Amino acid sequence: MAKVNENYLKLRGSYLFSTIAKKVSEYQNSHPEEAKEIIRLGIGDVTKPLTPAVLKALHSAVDEMGNSETFRGYAPDLGYDFLRKAIADEYKERGCDIDPGEIFVSDGAKSDTGNIQEIFSEDSIVAICDPVYPVYADSNVMAGRSGSFDEKNDRWDRIVYMPCTRENGFSPELPEKVPDIIYLCSPNNPTGTALNKAELKKWVDFALEHNSVILFDAAYEAYITEDGIPRSIYEIEGAKKCAVEFRSFSKNAGFTGVRLGFTVVPQDLEISGVKLNPLWARRHGTKYNGAPYIQQRAGEAVFSPEGKKETKALVDFYLGNARIIYDGLKAAGYEVYGGVNSPYIWLRTPNDMTSWDFFEKLLNEYRIVGTPGSGFGPSGEHYFRLTAFGTRENAEKAVERLKKG
Amino acid sequence: MAKVNENYLKLRGSYLFSTIAKKVSEYQNSHPEEAKEIIRLGIGDVTKPLTPAVLKALHSAVDEMGNSETFRGYAPDLGYDFLRKAIADEYKERGCDIDPGEIFVSDGAKSDTGNIQEIFSEDSIVAICDPVYPVYADSNVMAGRSGSFDEKNDRWDRIVYMPCTRENGFSPELPEKVPDIIYLCSPNNPTGTALNKAELKKWVDFALEHNSVILFDAAYEAYITEDGIPRSIYEIEGAKKCAVEFRSFSKNAGFTGVRLGFTVVPQDLEISGVKLNPLWARRHGTKYNGAPYIQQRAGEAVFSPEGKKETKALVDFYLGNARIIYDGLKAAGYEVYGGVNSPYIWLRTPNDMTSWDFFEKLLNEYRIVGTPGSGFGPSGEHYFRLTAFGTRENAEKAVERLKKG
C-alpha cells in the first residue's frame, strides 16, 4: 500500500501571498471605487520588459531552432560552455577565480535553493536567518530535517533560527548550536540588508572551523551599491572550501518569467573527503535536462557590453524607486531599513502594531498593498516589506499618500 | 559537521553515454578515415528543427516580453490557464476527462519523473520495468529506497525488477511482491514496446486492489500507430484513482532543447485519505517557479490545428526512419522488436553476443553507433537499441551497410 511522505503533511499552510490576495479581493468587493486606486508593492516580481540585447538574443536563438543546420536538442546537463564561460569571466572581473566547471546553469535560484538540501545527510542541522525567503525552511521540512512545529514558539524545533532584527542591525549572529548547513541570503529578502565583508568573513571562518557548509543566496547581488559589501561570497578568502553560491537573472535582467539562474559549487568544497561538485552534477544529470538553449543565449546576452548597460539601467530604475519609497517613509516618520543595497524596503510598524494589523491599515487607509514581515519568520513580526519593483508613478503616489498620513 | 547524503555515494556510475562517447572517440583516433563515415543512432535526441507554428508562437511571446503592456513576470507555479486548458481539451478529444486543475506544467518529463518520488514515503517499495529509462531507479537510489546494490545479481536489493524480454513479449508481469509504487513506461524506452488495453487494465486493476500507485510515463505516446494501444492510462477505467501520468513535448514536437512537459495528478487519486494533487502542487510551489511564458505559448501552439499537423509530420518522419531500420534489420537476418509504436528499434544481438560486444562490432565493422541494452538494466543484456531520430539518409545508409553484412 502506497504511503505519502509524512513530512509534507507537517508543512504549515504557506498562504502568505494567497491570504494577501484574498484580503485584497475582499477589499475590492467592499470598496469597489477606492480599490481602483490600489498600489501593489507586495510581490517581489519585476515589471519592466526585457531589454533589447536580451530580446535580440532570444529571437536569434529561436531562429536557430527553426533551422536544421543550427537546431539544438538536449543541452548539456550543466549548461552550455558559452554561458558557463561568460559567467566565469564575470566572476573574474570581480576578482573571484571560478572555473566554468564549477558553474551549474539551471532554471532559477528557487529550484536550486530548494533542491540543494538533497545532497546533504537527512539528519543535518540546518540554520536559517529569521526572517527570510521561506523556501529554505520548507524544502528542509519536506526532507524531514525540521523536527516538529512548536506552535507556542512559532518555530520548527530542529531548525536553528538566527534572528535578524534592528537590535543586531539585521546581521545574524553566530549560533550557539553549530549547524551543519547554514543558509545566508545577502542582500537579504525581506530585510533588504546586505552583509559587509567583515560580517561575511565571520561566517566563512565559522564554517571552516566547524566544517559546516554555507549556502549563500546572492539573488539580489546586483542591487549592492555601497563599497565594502561583497557581491559574491567568493570575495572572502576560504569561501571556496565551505560555500555554495546561488545566482539568478530574475531580479537584475528581469527574467522572473524567462527562468534562468546558476549555482556555483567549487571543486575545493569537500566534506569528509567527498567533493560536492560531482554530487550536485549527479543530481543535475539525473533529475534535470538542462536549461533551454534560447534562455541560455539570453543569459549570455546579459553579460554582453550592451546587456550589462541595459541591466544596470533596470537595476538603477528599481533602486530609484527604492530611494523614493525609503526617503518618503522616513519623511513620514517611519523607522525604515533596507532599500540601499536592495529592492526591498523594510519598515518597523508604528506603535508596535502587528505586521498583519499594519497590512490592514495600509490597505484600508492608504490603498497600498505590502507584505507582513511575520510571513517571513517569527522575527519578522512588527516589520513590513515594500518592494521597489513597480512603476515610478506608483512609488511616488504611494509616498504622497503616506506623507499625507 | 556537514555530511553528504550517503545514498548518492551508492549510485552506480551512470556512464552509459559517456562510455559510448569515449569508445567512439577512441575509434576516431585510431581510424580517422573510417570515422568520418560514422552514423549515430545512439542517443534519443531529435534532430529536426522546430515547426513553423511553434516558431511563430515563440517569436510572438518574445515580442510580448519586450513590451511593458504585455510583459509577463512569474508564471503561475502550476502553469498558465491557456496551456492547461489546451492540454485538458486534447485529453477530452481522446475521451479522457481531465480537468485543467489536474495538470501541472513543467520543464519536462525528466524533472517530473525524477522528482515525483519525493511525495511518497521513504520506505516505499518501488517496482520498475527491466530494461527501462534509468531515472526511475536512480532517483529512488538517491532517496534511499533502493537498498544495497547486489553485484552478483546486478540489481538493487530493495527494488522490484519486472523483466521485459522476448519471453514475455516485453510486457511486464505482475510481481509476486506487491510494490507501493509502480513505474510503467509505454511505449517503453528502450524496448519500443507499448502495452495494449488489456495489459494496462491488468495493471490498473492490480494497483486498485493493492492501493499501489502507478507512475505512467507516456513520453512516447505520439508514436503509437496501432489500434487498441492506449495513448493515456486514463483510457482505462479506474486509472484516475491510482495513476499519475507524465507527458512531454520533447519527442513529438521536438522540444528536447526547448524544455516543456506536464504531469497529470487526478483529484481522485488518494492514498490513506491523502490527496496527491495538492501534495504535488506543494512540491511545485516550493521548489519550482513555473515554466517560462514563451515555452508555454510554444506548447499551446503544438495543440493548434497547424501545430497538430506539423507535429504529426515530424512523428511520421521519425516513424518512417524506424520502419526503414526495422525492415532493413529483418532483411539482414536480425531478430527485431519495437519500431512500430515507438522511435526505438530493439534488437536481439546475434549469437548471444553481449550488448557491449555487439556495440564494438557495430562500430568497428559498420561504423554505426547504437546503445547497448544492458545499459538500461540487467534484462537488457543481449539486446541493443537503435533510434529513429536521425536523418533519412543515415537511416538508409545504416541499413545498406548492415545488409551487406
Side-chain angles (χ1 to χ4, degrees), chain A residues 152-174:
Chain A
K152 223 181 73 189
N153 252 321
D154 200 21
R155 283 166 176 82
W156 295 98
D157 64 9
R158 243 185 128 253
I159 289 182
V160 175
Y161 287 77
M162 305 183 293
C164 299
T165 60
R166 59 182 177 183
E167 284 72 26
N168 60 17
F170 303 99
S171 173
E173 285 154 45
L174 298 175

PDB file of all heavy atoms in Angstrom, chain A residues 152-174:
ATOM      1  N   LYS A 152       3.756  27.141  20.082  1.00  0.00           N
ATOM      2  CA  LYS A 152       3.916  28.223  21.060  1.00  0.00           C
ATOM      3  C   LYS A 152       5.057  29.145  20.640  1.00  0.00           C
ATOM      4  O   LYS A 152       4.966  30.367  20.738  1.00  0.00           O
ATOM      5  CB  LYS A 152       4.208  27.614  22.439  1.00  0.00           C
ATOM      6  CG  LYS A 152       3.435  28.308  23.556  1.00  0.00           C
ATOM      7  CD  LYS A 152       3.745  27.708  24.904  1.00  0.00           C
ATOM      8  CE  LYS A 152       5.141  28.075  25.419  1.00  0.00           C
ATOM      9  NZ  LYS A 152       5.517  27.313  26.624  1.00  0.00           N
ATOM     10  N   ASN A 153       6.109  28.510  20.158  1.00  0.00           N
ATOM     11  CA  ASN A 153       7.296  29.267  19.747  1.00  0.00           C
ATOM     12  C   ASN A 153       7.228  29.758  18.310  1.00  0.00           C
ATOM     13  O   ASN A 153       8.082  30.537  17.892  1.00  0.00           O
ATOM     14  CB  ASN A 153       8.524  28.356  19.867  1.00  0.00           C
ATOM     15  CG  ASN A 153       9.397  28.760  21.026  1.00  0.00           C
ATOM     16  OD1 ASN A 153       9.566  29.951  21.270  1.00  0.00           O
ATOM     17  ND2 ASN A 153       9.925  27.778  21.720  1.00  0.00           N
ATOM     18  N   ASP A 154       6.287  29.230  17.568  1.00  0.00           N
ATOM     19  CA  ASP A 154       6.140  29.574  16.162  1.00  0.00           C
ATOM     20  C   ASP A 154       7.409  29.210  15.372  1.00  0.00           C
ATOM     21  O   ASP A 154       7.817  29.946  14.472  1.00  0.00           O
ATOM     22  CB  ASP A 154       5.832  31.083  16.041  1.00  0.00           C
ATOM     23  CG  ASP A 154       5.202  31.434  14.688  1.00  0.00           C
ATOM     24  OD1 ASP A 154       4.653  30.531  14.042  1.00  0.00           O
ATOM     25  OD2 ASP A 154       5.290  32.610  14.285  1.00  0.00           O
ATOM     26  N   ARG A 155       8.015  28.092  15.756  1.00  0.00           N
ATOM     27  CA  ARG A 155       9.272  27.676  15.124  1.00  0.00           C
ATOM     28  C   ARG A 155       9.336  26.157  14.996  1.00  0.00           C
ATOM     29  O   ARG A 155       8.761  25.442  15.800  1.00  0.00           O
ATOM     30  CB  ARG A 155      10.467  28.112  15.990  1.00  0.00           C
ATOM     31  CG  ARG A 155      10.816  29.584  15.892  1.00  0.00           C
ATOM     32  CD  ARG A 155      11.756  29.983  17.024  1.00  0.00           C
ATOM     33  NE  ARG A 155      12.190  31.381  16.911  1.00  0.00           N
ATOM     34  CZ  ARG A 155      11.481  32.434  17.312  1.00  0.00           C
ATOM     35  NH1 ARG A 155      10.280  32.266  17.870  1.00  0.00           N
ATOM     36  NH2 ARG A 155      11.954  33.661  17.159  1.00  0.00           N
ATOM     37  N   TRP A 156      10.117  25.664  14.000  1.00  0.00           N
ATOM     38  CA  TRP A 156      10.428  24.239  13.890  1.00  0.00           C
ATOM     39  C   TRP A 156      11.480  23.914  14.935  1.00  0.00           C
ATOM     40  O   TRP A 156      12.473  24.639  15.063  1.00  0.00           O
ATOM     41  CB  TRP A 156      10.953  23.913  12.496  1.00  0.00           C
ATOM     42  CG  TRP A 156       9.916  24.136  11.447  1.00  0.00           C
ATOM     43  CD1 TRP A 156       9.780  25.237  10.658  1.00  0.00           C
ATOM     44  CD2 TRP A 156       8.854  23.256  11.095  1.00  0.00           C
ATOM     45  NE1 TRP A 156       8.696  25.097   9.837  1.00  0.00           N
ATOM     46  CE2 TRP A 156       8.102  23.887  10.083  1.00  0.00           C
ATOM     47  CE3 TRP A 156       8.448  21.991  11.546  1.00  0.00           C
ATOM     48  CZ2 TRP A 156       6.976  23.301   9.503  1.00  0.00           C
ATOM     49  CZ3 TRP A 156       7.336  21.399  10.960  1.00  0.00           C
ATOM     50  CH2 TRP A 156       6.615  22.056   9.955  1.00  0.00           C
ATOM     51  N   ASP A 157      11.302  22.784  15.654  1.00  0.00           N
ATOM     52  CA  ASP A 157      12.178  22.600  16.816  1.00  0.00           C
ATOM     53  C   ASP A 157      13.567  22.057  16.485  1.00  0.00           C
ATOM     54  O   ASP A 157      14.434  22.018  17.350  1.00  0.00           O
ATOM     55  CB  ASP A 157      11.476  21.798  17.921  1.00  0.00           C
ATOM     56  CG  ASP A 157      11.144  20.379  17.521  1.00  0.00           C
ATOM     57  OD1 ASP A 157      11.600  19.932  16.444  1.00  0.00           O
ATOM     58  OD2 ASP A 157      10.415  19.706  18.273  1.00  0.00           O
ATOM     59  N   ARG A 158      13.787  21.627  15.212  1.00  0.00           N
ATOM     60  CA  ARG A 158      15.133  21.138  14.846  1.00  0.00           C
ATOM     61  C   ARG A 158      15.858  22.102  13.925  1.00  0.00           C
ATOM     62  O   ARG A 158      16.987  21.832  13.501  1.00  0.00           O
ATOM     63  CB  ARG A 158      15.017  19.766  14.154  1.00  0.00           C
ATOM     64  CG  ARG A 158      15.694  18.655  14.918  1.00  0.00           C
ATOM     65  CD  ARG A 158      15.680  17.345  14.165  1.00  0.00           C
ATOM     66  NE  ARG A 158      17.020  16.803  14.082  1.00  0.00           N
ATOM     67  CZ  ARG A 158      17.761  16.789  12.989  1.00  0.00           C
ATOM     68  NH1 ARG A 158      17.287  17.282  11.870  1.00  0.00           N
ATOM     69  NH2 ARG A 158      18.978  16.271  13.011  1.00  0.00           N
ATOM     70  N   ILE A 159      15.209  23.222  13.595  1.00  0.00           N
ATOM     71  CA  ILE A 159      15.869  24.223  12.756  1.00  0.00           C
ATOM     72  C   ILE A 159      16.458  25.302  13.666  1.00  0.00           C
ATOM     73  O   ILE A 159      15.838  25.709  14.647  1.00  0.00           O
ATOM     74  CB  ILE A 159      14.874  24.825  11.735  1.00  0.00           C
ATOM     75  CG1 ILE A 159      14.543  23.773  10.663  1.00  0.00           C
ATOM     76  CG2 ILE A 159      15.424  26.097  11.096  1.00  0.00           C
ATOM     77  CD1 ILE A 159      13.613  24.251   9.559  1.00  0.00           C
ATOM     78  N   VAL A 160      17.673  25.725  13.354  1.00  0.00           N
ATOM     79  CA  VAL A 160      18.313  26.796  14.129  1.00  0.00           C
ATOM     80  C   VAL A 160      17.923  28.133  13.501  1.00  0.00           C
ATOM     81  O   VAL A 160      18.206  28.368  12.322  1.00  0.00           O
ATOM     82  CB  VAL A 160      19.847  26.626  14.121  1.00  0.00           C
ATOM     83  CG1 VAL A 160      20.528  27.796  14.829  1.00  0.00           C
ATOM     84  CG2 VAL A 160      20.245  25.291  14.756  1.00  0.00           C
ATOM     85  N   TYR A 161      17.246  28.962  14.275  1.00  0.00           N
ATOM     86  CA  TYR A 161      16.812  30.277  13.780  1.00  0.00           C
ATOM     87  C   TYR A 161      17.830  31.332  14.177  1.00  0.00           C
ATOM     88  O   TYR A 161      18.257  31.395  15.333  1.00  0.00           O
ATOM     89  CB  TYR A 161      15.448  30.656  14.373  1.00  0.00           C
ATOM     90  CG  TYR A 161      14.314  29.859  13.788  1.00  0.00           C
ATOM     91  CD1 TYR A 161      14.094  28.539  14.181  1.00  0.00           C
ATOM     92  CD2 TYR A 161      13.476  30.404  12.829  1.00  0.00           C
ATOM     93  CE1 TYR A 161      13.059  27.791  13.638  1.00  0.00           C
ATOM     94  CE2 TYR A 161      12.427  29.675  12.279  1.00  0.00           C
ATOM     95  CZ  TYR A 161      12.233  28.367  12.690  1.00  0.00           C
ATOM     96  OH  TYR A 161      11.207  27.627  12.144  1.00  0.00           O
ATOM     97  N   MET A 162      18.208  32.168  13.237  1.00  0.00           N
ATOM     98  CA  MET A 162      19.172  33.240  13.509  1.00  0.00           C
ATOM     99  C   MET A 162      18.441  34.574  13.308  1.00  0.00           C
ATOM    100  O   MET A 162      18.300  35.037  12.171  1.00  0.00           O
ATOM    101  CB  MET A 162      20.359  33.114  12.567  1.00  0.00           C
ATOM    102  CG  MET A 162      21.008  31.728  12.633  1.00  0.00           C
ATOM    103  SD  MET A 162      22.487  31.530  11.599  1.00  0.00           S
ATOM    104  CE  MET A 162      21.824  31.657   9.946  1.00  0.00           C
ATOM    105  N   PRO A 163      17.964  35.170  14.386  1.00  0.00           N
ATOM    106  CA  PRO A 163      17.165  36.387  14.260  1.00  0.00           C
ATOM    107  C   PRO A 163      17.961  37.523  13.613  1.00  0.00           C
ATOM    108  O   PRO A 163      19.155  37.702  13.894  1.00  0.00           O
ATOM    109  CB  PRO A 163      16.822  36.748  15.716  1.00  0.00           C
ATOM    110  CG  PRO A 163      17.032  35.490  16.492  1.00  0.00           C
ATOM    111  CD  PRO A 163      18.131  34.751  15.787  1.00  0.00           C
ATOM    112  N   CYS A 164      17.303  38.238  12.729  1.00  0.00           N
ATOM    113  CA  CYS A 164      17.872  39.427  12.105  1.00  0.00           C
ATOM    114  C   CYS A 164      16.884  40.560  12.378  1.00  0.00           C
ATOM    115  O   CYS A 164      15.845  40.657  11.721  1.00  0.00           O
ATOM    116  CB  CYS A 164      18.022  39.225  10.596  1.00  0.00           C
ATOM    117  SG  CYS A 164      19.110  37.855  10.168  1.00  0.00           S
ATOM    118  N   THR A 165      17.223  41.371  13.366  1.00  0.00           N
ATOM    119  CA  THR A 165      16.312  42.425  13.810  1.00  0.00           C
ATOM    120  C   THR A 165      17.079  43.733  13.936  1.00  0.00           C
ATOM    121  O   THR A 165      18.303  43.772  13.768  1.00  0.00           O
ATOM    122  CB  THR A 165      15.716  42.061  15.180  1.00  0.00           C
ATOM    123  OG1 THR A 165      16.810  41.930  16.112  1.00  0.00           O
ATOM    124  CG2 THR A 165      14.944  40.744  15.117  1.00  0.00           C
ATOM    125  N   ARG A 166      16.367  44.808  14.257  1.00  0.00           N
ATOM    126  CA  ARG A 166      17.049  46.107  14.383  1.00  0.00           C
ATOM    127  C   ARG A 166      18.089  46.049  15.502  1.00  0.00           C
ATOM    128  O   ARG A 166      19.087  46.756  15.470  1.00  0.00           O
ATOM    129  CB  ARG A 166      16.044  47.222  14.634  1.00  0.00           C
ATOM    130  CG  ARG A 166      15.202  47.038  15.892  1.00  0.00           C
ATOM    131  CD  ARG A 166      14.198  48.166  16.037  1.00  0.00           C
ATOM    132  NE  ARG A 166      13.352  47.956  17.210  1.00  0.00           N
ATOM    133  CZ  ARG A 166      12.356  48.746  17.565  1.00  0.00           C
ATOM    134  NH1 ARG A 166      12.066  49.813  16.858  1.00  0.00           N
ATOM    135  NH2 ARG A 166      11.634  48.479  18.648  1.00  0.00           N
ATOM    136  N   GLU A 167      17.864  45.153  16.498  1.00  0.00           N
ATOM    137  CA  GLU A 167      18.800  45.064  17.624  1.00  0.00           C
ATOM    138  C   GLU A 167      20.197  44.608  17.174  1.00  0.00           C
ATOM    139  O   GLU A 167      21.196  45.008  17.774  1.00  0.00           O
ATOM    140  CB  GLU A 167      18.270  44.104  18.704  1.00  0.00           C
ATOM    141  CG  GLU A 167      17.145  44.681  19.558  1.00  0.00           C
ATOM    142  CD  GLU A 167      15.802  44.803  18.801  1.00  0.00           C
ATOM    143  OE1 GLU A 167      15.590  44.030  17.831  1.00  0.00           O
ATOM    144  OE2 GLU A 167      14.997  45.696  19.143  1.00  0.00           O
ATOM    145  N   ASN A 168      20.272  43.752  16.171  1.00  0.00           N
ATOM    146  CA  ASN A 168      21.593  43.333  15.690  1.00  0.00           C
ATOM    147  C   ASN A 168      21.891  43.872  14.285  1.00  0.00           C
ATOM    148  O   ASN A 168      22.738  43.323  13.575  1.00  0.00           O
ATOM    149  CB  ASN A 168      21.763  41.800  15.755  1.00  0.00           C
ATOM    150  CG  ASN A 168      20.739  41.048  14.909  1.00  0.00           C
ATOM    151  OD1 ASN A 168      20.097  41.622  14.037  1.00  0.00           O
ATOM    152  ND2 ASN A 168      20.572  39.765  15.184  1.00  0.00           N
ATOM    153  N   GLY A 169      21.201  44.931  13.904  1.00  0.00           N
ATOM    154  CA  GLY A 169      21.444  45.532  12.587  1.00  0.00           C
ATOM    155  C   GLY A 169      21.093  44.579  11.452  1.00  0.00           C
ATOM    156  O   GLY A 169      21.658  44.672  10.366  1.00  0.00           O
ATOM    157  N   PHE A 170      20.182  43.638  11.714  1.00  0.00           N
ATOM    158  CA  PHE A 170      19.729  42.661  10.709  1.00  0.00           C
ATOM    159  C   PHE A 170      20.881  41.787  10.199  1.00  0.00           C
ATOM    160  O   PHE A 170      20.842  41.272   9.085  1.00  0.00           O
ATOM    161  CB  PHE A 170      19.019  43.370   9.539  1.00  0.00           C
ATOM    162  CG  PHE A 170      17.858  44.206   9.994  1.00  0.00           C
ATOM    163  CD1 PHE A 170      17.991  45.577  10.168  1.00  0.00           C
ATOM    164  CD2 PHE A 170      16.651  43.603  10.311  1.00  0.00           C
ATOM    165  CE1 PHE A 170      16.926  46.336  10.620  1.00  0.00           C
ATOM    166  CE2 PHE A 170      15.581  44.366  10.771  1.00  0.00           C
ATOM    167  CZ  PHE A 170      15.712  45.745  10.926  1.00  0.00           C
ATOM    168  N   SER A 171      21.916  41.651  11.036  1.00  0.00           N
ATOM    169  CA  SER A 171      23.051  40.801  10.698  1.00  0.00           C
ATOM    170  C   SER A 171      23.036  39.616  11.656  1.00  0.00           C
ATOM    171  O   SER A 171      23.152  39.786  12.861  1.00  0.00           O
ATOM    172  CB  SER A 171      24.340  41.615  10.857  1.00  0.00           C
ATOM    173  OG  SER A 171      25.444  40.775  10.703  1.00  0.00           O
ATOM    174  N   PRO A 172      22.858  38.392  11.136  1.00  0.00           N
ATOM    175  CA  PRO A 172      22.688  37.241  12.028  1.00  0.00           C
ATOM    176  C   PRO A 172      23.938  36.991  12.875  1.00  0.00           C
ATOM    177  O   PRO A 172      25.064  37.162  12.414  1.00  0.00           O
ATOM    178  CB  PRO A 172      22.442  36.081  11.059  1.00  0.00           C
ATOM    179  CG  PRO A 172      23.045  36.520   9.765  1.00  0.00           C
ATOM    180  CD  PRO A 172      22.868  37.999   9.714  1.00  0.00           C
ATOM    181  N   GLU A 173      23.719  36.566  14.109  1.00  0.00           N
ATOM    182  CA  GLU A 173      24.847  36.231  14.989  1.00  0.00           C
ATOM    183  C   GLU A 173      25.183  34.748  14.889  1.00  0.00           C
ATOM    184  O   GLU A 173      24.310  33.937  14.581  1.00  0.00           O
ATOM    185  CB  GLU A 173      24.480  36.595  16.429  1.00  0.00           C
ATOM    186  CG  GLU A 173      24.542  38.103  16.660  1.00  0.00           C
ATOM    187  CD  GLU A 173      23.626  38.550  17.789  1.00  0.00           C
ATOM    188  OE1 GLU A 173      23.634  37.885  18.842  1.00  0.00           O
ATOM    189  OE2 GLU A 173      22.900  39.540  17.586  1.00  0.00           O
ATOM    190  N   LEU A 174      26.425  34.420  15.165  1.00  0.00           N
ATOM    191  CA  LEU A 174      26.826  33.018  15.129  1.00  0.00           C
ATOM    192  C   LEU A 174      25.984  32.247  16.141  1.00  0.00           C
ATOM    193  O   LEU A 174      25.862  32.658  17.285  1.00  0.00           O
ATOM    194  CB  LEU A 174      28.312  32.884  15.483  1.00  0.00           C
ATOM    195  CG  LEU A 174      29.296  33.580  14.541  1.00  0.00           C
ATOM    196  CD1 LEU A 174      30.721  33.457  15.079  1.00  0.00           C
ATOM    197  CD2 LEU A 174      29.214  33.005  13.129  1.00  0.00           C
TER     198      LEU A 174
END
